[in-house]
Amino acid sequence: MDSIVLTIGGELVDTANRFEVANPGTGGIAGTAPNAGQPELDRAVAAAKAAFPAWSAKSDAELQAACIAVADKLEEHAEELAQLITAEQGKPLAGIGSRWEVGGAAGWARYTAGLSLPMQVLQDTDQGRIEMYRKPLGVVGSITPWNFPVLIAVWHILPALRTGNTVVSKPSPMTPLASLRMIELMNEVLPAGVVNSVSCQDTDFNMGAAMSGHNDIAKIVFTGSCGTGQKVMQSSAETMKRLTLEMGGNDAGIVLPDADPEKIAEGLFWGAFINNGQTCAAMKRLYVHDDIHDAVCEALVAYAGNIKVGEGTREDSVLGPVQNQMQFDKVVRLVEQAKAKGQVLLGGEAGEGLFFPPTIIAGLGADVPLVSEEQFGPALPVIRYSDIEDALAQANALEVGLGGSVWSGSVDKAKEVAKRMECGSVWINSHGMIQPDVPFGGVKKSGFGVEFGEEGLKEYTTIQAVFC
Ligand code: NAD
């Protein structure tokens, strides 16, 4: 895995320095990655800019075919990419793990290929005809986090390509290997310069900041934390970049008194613990009505207690380690603080290395940091409520608003509550079920813009009205 390099202008490019990428499951090293800097970034942007005229001039059918070819490539190399993800990210190969992530990426690529934004006639009268075209922006810079490295890169790259843009992609320094290899594979079926990669350790030089301020990048699509997203917005201001910002959240789930605890336990668990809780739209706070509070906790703990946590290459592992030390330390801190205020129903003690068991802590209030901060890890706070108005007020009290959920025996009742939640998506009796045809994005400080479906595609275009 020391052979993984950048792809710039269709060429494989290494750097004088490479940095080590940790394997969070073994405590060892997953591989090394090129430590690119300003020269590589300038070269990648120049290659993307040079490729843009020919790429954007391609017909809709040609762009569609190219995106399908990318989906085929991902499928062909699915196992190789899944192994890389498990090595650097830690998630298991099996279950809702690396193979699932790569399968999802290929499916998303294929679905995106089939979308299209044809010209629209806005007026065709005696006064004249007006046509509206959606045109690509130019070079799109993609900046991704470490939780779903391949899937999120595909969410950024495919709609950009499908609409005729070219791309420079920057993976997280925690998980660059699978993304770099994926872009190398994409280049086997795309013209040189259409998709380029720049990995960077982000210590002496901050690649994301340099991309956000780069003159020749027209748009940044960023997925990551709220604080970094704000920095992207600041450094993009001078060059007036278009932005899609998919940032952090602190999703609330609200269980109404008529829900069936046994029926919802599995959904609650996976809503909160998918990818070990390291998922933007995972349920991060659970509000349960007094009437069924204890029964819900009991059913949830019974389900969660059977989940096997282990190193990702073991086929029987259901959840892996926390991805990195910083995140692990945060989970430990939040759990320790919560333990002092509430009752630990499950877990609560760190395991070896970066392993932390699924943890459920009840009896908490709004002032506990495990409730008010995004934990992004395997620890779920449960908050008891008796008045739905109070639960809604607490759910909406934070500055973020990505997703939310309502759990009930009645979809109609749940819908009434769902519509009052301040977030981009609300699920009823599930949480976090995103799909490629449904727009997804946050409100408030969770960002702006949406991904997926036609609405997501539009974010990679600018409108031109032609008065004929
Ligand atoms: P992060 O913000 O630390 O890093 C994200 C990316 O930004 C990385 O590639 C990083 O190198 C880069 N970066 C660092 N400094 C930068 C700068 N000054 N300018 C531009 N880019 C810079 O986030 P993370 O820890 O990798 O990911 C976890 C966070 O991402 C969580 O808050 C999670 O909720 C969020 N997230 C959101 C979504 C979503 O769709 N809304 C999806 C996944 C993760």
Side-chain angles (χ1 to χ4, degrees), residues 254-257 289 385-393 406 417 420:
I254 301 180
V255 182
L256 301 185
H289 191 275
Y385 78 89
S386 51
D387 177 358
I388 186 63
E389 293 303 322
D390 177 39
L392 264 170
V406 187
V417 177
R420 296 178 61 198

Side-chain angles (χ1 to χ4, degrees), residues 24-26 309-312 319-322 328 349-357:
T26 62
V309 179
E311 203 270 311
L319 293 176
V322 173
F328 182 84
E349 294 297 333
E352 279 183 18
L354 294 177
F355 287 93
F356 201 97

Side-chain angles (χ1 to χ4, degrees), residues 142-148 152 155-156 170-175 200-202 206-213 220 222-233 235 245-250 277-282 284 323-324 326-327 330 374 376 402 434 440-442 446-447 451-452:
S142 154
I143 302 176
T144 51
W146 47 257
N147 56 344
F148 289 93
I152 294 178
W155 290 350
H156 292 184
K170 186 203 97 63
S172 164
M174 308 286 185
T175 52
C200 175
Q201 195 174 12
D202 282 351
N206 189 309
M207 182 63 78
M211 288 169 72
S212 310
I220 294 283
F222 168 85
T223 302
S225 62
C226 293
T228 311
Q230 285 172 332
K231 285 187 194 156
V232 170
M233 201 170 165
S235 40
L245 299 176
E246 294 287 0
M247 286 134 77
N250 194 341
Q278 304 168 124
T279 305
C280 53
K284 291 170 180 148
Q323 202 275 329
N324 60 72
M326 206 170 78
Q327 194 56 48
K330 182 175 188 185
E374 185 189 36
F376 217 62
L402 197 53
I434 50 171
F440 172 79
S446 287
E451 297 189 272
F452 316 152

Side-chain angles (χ1 to χ4, degrees), residues 49-50 96 115 124 139-140 166 190 198 219 286 311 404 421:
K49 193 177 172 187
I96 309 178
L115 292 170
D124 198 7
V139 179
V140 170
T166 56
L190 295 172
V198 280
K219 175 191 171 91
L286 180 62
E311 203 270 311
M421 292 182 82

